């Protein structure tokens, strides 16, 4: 989808880009001077004077203009005070009715717009105008070209460029999450990562992007027993994807993101019910969001270092698959009793979190469609945020609010992890049925003592169900905003205090040895896990 930014003036249609459909966004307070009652402004004014339409949020009115006008069809969209939610809802609804038509679309703000409003309008149009066609040749529609206009367009260039980068990142994430598992294998995800790195370096004098793919032999050599235990039930080879972006001095600590890459989750031996199992192709949405983040970085190139880690494999039942009751050894040396093979996401993530230590990161954020329990708690509006590090949590919450890619911080009391006790290993991979999203986060926390860490459970936000089934591209906007914020204003995140020692700090300009991991105590029995693992 090609976007163009244009200075627009509805009072001077000769300067407007001609389109088939023009969507006009008007906020409260829109006025037309008596001497300018001709053309479109006059039509809008008369509609308001007659009480047929107002700029209140959600108000809509279709107009038809003469053939010599700069648009053959005009739709007025009220956006109230111009809040992101009002812009998004107004445009999404209108564009969804147009995507089946081969139209040239223009979206004009009648009044001066802000950077956030321009970016929001682009994301709304891009999201509503997306049509999946990779494995569906019969698919029709999809917008090819969109003009975004505002009287002060030149002042909104930053928001426009960020919008284009976000659309590229979200588009890539949606595309690969939507693809069936046989068209989005771990091998294919590795090739996508290599292409992002290659394209990011192409045409630039310095090689800021780097991609490394680790196969089973290398993963085995690293001792990633938990990752291997999940992957061995499938004939599809695993991949451990390591992406790096160097936008700052290479001595500066990077911000690391770990994405769950289960390209299909059958549940393994603890197999899932058949109904809805097709949606488990979306279980690599965390991985897709990390790939989407790096695609956006390829366009934005901020002054910060970023690492992306993606453990990618399938979770399948077979004669070689891990069985309930098996005890495996993670890369950290901690042993895990696998009570439910459908709680596999945390098993591949824990080895990736241990691997992240070698980068001496500023902080680590993992992203995963981890638990159905989180869907029950938060629905599809907000992702679940879990962290013991207040500074990092606040930075993520700020990024979520600014990007309108919302999250909600959940409790992390130590008591929630007591259910992970096992009589036969350092821990079990599941706890009780209640608070399953929190106990899953407490499991992951045992592998993160070396750095500030946060976990995003996106099981409810990564895709839509029902008639609108498909990936959403979330939380790419949140991740991109977090990176941009930390690139602009470096902050310190407190490291966990070693036993008997004092807490230290790590910021974007400091490095140091990871804090020593605290060994886990011996544990007791768990119960059933949420459906997404």
């Amino acid at each position: 989808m090609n976007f163009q930014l244009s200075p627009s003036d509805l009072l001077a249609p000769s300067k407007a880009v001609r389109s088939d459909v023009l969507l006009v966004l008007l906020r409260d307070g829109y006025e037309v001077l008596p001497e300018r009652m001709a053309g479109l402004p006059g039509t809008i004014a008369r509609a308001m004077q007659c009480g047929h339409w107002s700029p209140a949020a959600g108000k809509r009115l279709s107009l038809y203009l003469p053939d010599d006008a700069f648009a053959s069809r005009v739709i007025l969209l009220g956006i109230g005070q111009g809040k992101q939610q009002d812009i998004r809802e107004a445009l999404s609804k209108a564009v969804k009715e147009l995507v089946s038509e081969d139209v040239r679309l223009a979206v004009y703000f009648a009044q001066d717009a802000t950077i956030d409003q321009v970016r929001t309008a682009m994301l709304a149009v891009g999201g509503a105008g997306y049509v999946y066609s990779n494995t569906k040749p019969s698919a029709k529609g999809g917008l090819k070209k969109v003009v975004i206009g505002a009287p002060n367009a030149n002042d909104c260039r930053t928001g426009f460029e960020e919008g284009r980068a976000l659309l590229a990142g979200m588009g890539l994430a949606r595309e690969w999450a939507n693809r069936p598992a046989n068209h989005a294998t771990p091998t294919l995800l590795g090739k996508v990562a290599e292409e992002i790195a290659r394209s990011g370096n192409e045409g630039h004098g310095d090689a800021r992007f780097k991609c490394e793919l680790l196969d089973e032999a290398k993963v085995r050599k690293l001792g990633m027993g938990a990752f291997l235990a999940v992957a061995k039930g499938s004939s599809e080879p695993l991949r451990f994807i390591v992406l790096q972006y160097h936008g700052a001095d290479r001595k500066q600590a990077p911000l690391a993101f770990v994405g769950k890459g289960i390209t299909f989750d059958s549940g393994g031996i603890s197999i899932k019910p058949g109904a809805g199992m097709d949606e488990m192709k979306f279980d690599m949405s965390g991985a897709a969001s990390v790939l989407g983040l790096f695609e956006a970085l390829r366009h934005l190139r901020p002054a910060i270092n970023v690492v992306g880690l993606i453990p990618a494999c399938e979770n399948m039942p077979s004669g070689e698959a891990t069985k309930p009751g098996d005890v495996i050894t993670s890369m950290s040396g901690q042993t895990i009793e696998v009570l439910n093979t459908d709680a596999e996401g945390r098993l591949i993530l824990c080895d990736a979190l241990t691997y992240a230590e070698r980068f001496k990161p500023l902080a680590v954020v993992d992203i995963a469609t981890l638990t159905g329990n989180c869907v029950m708690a938060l629905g599809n509006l907000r992702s679940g945020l879990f962290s013991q590090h207040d500074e990092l949590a606040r930075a993520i919450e700020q990024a979520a609010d600014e990007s309108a890619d919302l999250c909600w911080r959940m409790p992390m009391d130590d008591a929630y992890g007591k259910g992970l006790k096992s009589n036969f290993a350092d821990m079990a991979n599941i706890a009780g049925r209640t608070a399953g999203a929190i106990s899953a986060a407490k499991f992951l926390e045992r592998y993160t003592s070396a750095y500030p860490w946060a976990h995003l459970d996106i099981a409810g936000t990564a895709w839509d169900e029902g008639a609108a089934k498909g990936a959403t591209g979330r939380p790419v906007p949140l991740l991109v905003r977090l990176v941009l914020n930390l690139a602009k204003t470096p902050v310190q995140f407190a490291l966990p205090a070693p036993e008997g020692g004092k807490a230290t700090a790590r910021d974007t300009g400091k490095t140091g040895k990871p804090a020593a991991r605290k060994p886990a105590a011996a544990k007791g029995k768990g119960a059933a896990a949420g459906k997404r693992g």
Side-chain angles (χ1 to χ4, degrees):
M1 197 178 300
N2 181 27
F3 278 79
Q4 175 185 344
L5 183 65
S6 173
S8 68
D9 187 349
L10 298 180
L11 301 178
S14 61
K15 297 181 180 179
V17 177
R18 181 168 181 82
S19 60
D20 297 312
V21 178
L22 169 63
L23 302 178
V24 182
L25 303 179
L26 295 101
R27 299 192 306 274
D28 292 336
Y30 178 77
E31 295 180 352
V32 179
L33 298 176
E35 62 269 24
R36 293 186 174 182
M37 289 292 289
L40 180 56
T43 303
I44 295 173
R46 285 190 289 275
M48 294 173 64
Q49 290 170 355
C50 295
H52 296 162
W53 181 81
S54 79
K59 294 293 184 179
R60 175 172 168 177
L61 181 67
S62 295
L63 306 176
Y64 290 87
L65 301 179
D67 292 338
D68 59 353
F70 63 96
S72 55
R73 183 180 178 190
V74 176
I75 300 174
L76 307 183
L77 300 176
I79 57 173
Q81 297 178 0
K83 296 179 180 179
Q84 292 187 54
Q85 180 178 350
D86 293 331
I87 295 173
R88 184 168 57 249
E89 290 180 354
L91 283 174
S92 295
K93 184 176 180 180
V95 172
K96 284 178 181 177
E97 297 176 4
L98 301 170
V99 292
S100 61
E101 305 175 30
D102 185 14
V103 299
R104 294 172 296 172
L105 178 66
V107 177
Y108 280 8
F109 287 88
Q111 301 120 302
D112 284 352
T114 67
I115 289 174
D116 288 341
Q117 288 171 338
V118 167
R119 182 178 61 245
T120 299
M122 294 175 68
L123 296 185
V125 172
Y130 168 83
V131 174
Y132 174 79
S133 61
N134 184 266
T135 55
K136 188 177 179 180
S138 62
K140 296 180 180 179
L143 296 170
K144 302 297 187 296
K145 182 177 181 180
V146 181
V147 176
I148 301 291
N152 64 329
N154 292 332
D155 298 329
C156 301
R157 177 65 60 177
T158 301
F160 178 77
E161 295 301 335
E162 185 178 326
R164 285 208 297 193
L166 282 170
L167 285 168
M170 293 180 72
L172 185 144
R174 292 181 76 176
E175 178 66 25
W176 282 93
N178 278 332
R179 293 189 182 192
N182 61 329
H183 290 261
T185 63
T187 300
L188 291 174
L189 289 189
K191 291 181 178 179
V192 174
E194 287 182 318
E195 175 58 24
I196 292 172
R198 186 195 64 77
S199 299
N201 292 330
E202 200 171 58
H204 296 275
D206 54 341
R208 294 191 179 187
F209 289 85
K210 179 182 178 181
C211 178
E212 183 180 7
L213 302 180
L214 307 184
D215 59 14
E216 181 178 341
K218 293 179 180 178
V219 166
R220 191 175 299 280
K221 187 176 181 179
L222 286 167
M224 292 185 172
F227 183 20
L228 288 166
V230 176
K232 71 178 186 176
S234 174
S235 59
E236 284 287 346
L238 63 77
R239 287 290 183 272
F240 189 80
I241 302 167
V242 182
L243 275 166
Q244 296 184 62
Y245 165 72
H246 295 285
D249 189 309
R250 291 178 184 249
K251 293 182 180 179
Q252 291 190 8
L255 184 61
F257 296 91
V258 179
K260 175 185 172 184
I262 297 293
T263 56
F264 188 78
D265 181 18
S266 69
I269 298 298
S270 307
I271 197 164
K272 295 176 180 289
M277 194 192 288
D278 64 290
E279 295 184 2
M280 290 301 98
K281 69 177 183 177
F282 295 121
D283 214 20
M284 44 69 71
S285 295
S289 70
V290 173
L291 292 173
L293 166 64
F294 273 78
E295 175 67 10
L297 293 178
R298 187 171 71 82
H299 296 272
L300 295 170
R301 310 178 81 83
I304 189 173
N305 296 331
V306 183
V307 170
L309 304 176
I310 299 173
C313 68
E314 291 184 338
N315 183 29
M316 299 290 286
S318 74
E320 297 183 355
T322 296
K323 305 173 292 297
D326 284 358
V327 174
I328 59 179
T329 304
S330 65
M331 184 181 177
S332 71
Q334 298 176 89
T335 58
I336 306 164
E337 182 184 12
V338 181
L339 295 180
N340 190 320
T341 64
D342 193 23
E344 85 299 329
R346 64 202 72 183
L347 298 180
I348 71 171
L349 289 173
C350 72
D351 279 347
L353 291 169
T354 300
Y355 186 88
E357 291 183 24
R358 64 184 53 204
F359 296 100
K360 299 180 175 63
L362 164 70
V364 176
V365 180
D366 77 71
I367 310 102
T369 49
L370 206 63
T371 64
N373 193 278
C374 193
V375 185
M376 298 303 294
L378 299 175
N380 63 0
L381 179 62
R382 293 177 183 263
S383 300
L385 168 62
F386 303 79
S387 182
Q388 297 274 36
H389 301 87
D390 292 339
E391 298 92 344
L392 177 58
R394 282 194 292 267
I396 293 173
E397 288 176 316
Q398 178 183 343
D401 291 341
E402 292 176 352
S403 63
D405 188 357
L406 302 177
C407 67
W408 189 262
R409 190 176 181 185
M410 304 289 278
M412 283 286 283
D413 306 61
D414 288 340
Y416 285 112
K418 290 183 178 180
L420 296 170
K421 292 179 180 180
S422 166
N423 291 339
F424 307 104
D426 290 329
M427 71 194 81
N429 74 324
I430 57 172
R433 295 183 62 185
T434 59
I438 306 176
S439 62
K442 296 302 290 184
F443 177 94
L444 295 175
E445 185 184 32
R446 298 182 180 213
Y447 298 85
T448 64
S449 62
Y451 45 70
W453 162 81
H455 161 60
L456 284 171
D457 192 329
I458 61 169
T461 56
W463 77 89
D464 292 322
E465 298 178 329
K469 183 187 296 184
T472 62
R474 295 178 63 185
V476 172
L478 186 162
L479 303 183
V480 171
R481 176 46 49 192
L482 176 64
V483 170
L484 294 180
N485 285 351
L486 293 179
K488 182 178 180 181
T489 309
V491 299
Q492 290 187 334
F493 296 127
L495 279 170
E499 190 171 359
K502 293 183 179 181
T504 58
R506 178 169 295 169
D507 60 22
T508 51
K510 297 181 180 181
T511 60
K513 294 183 179 180
R517 184 183 298 103
K518 198 174 182 178
K523 320 312 155 208
K525 191 175 180 183
K531 69 172 184 176
R532 303 194 183 188

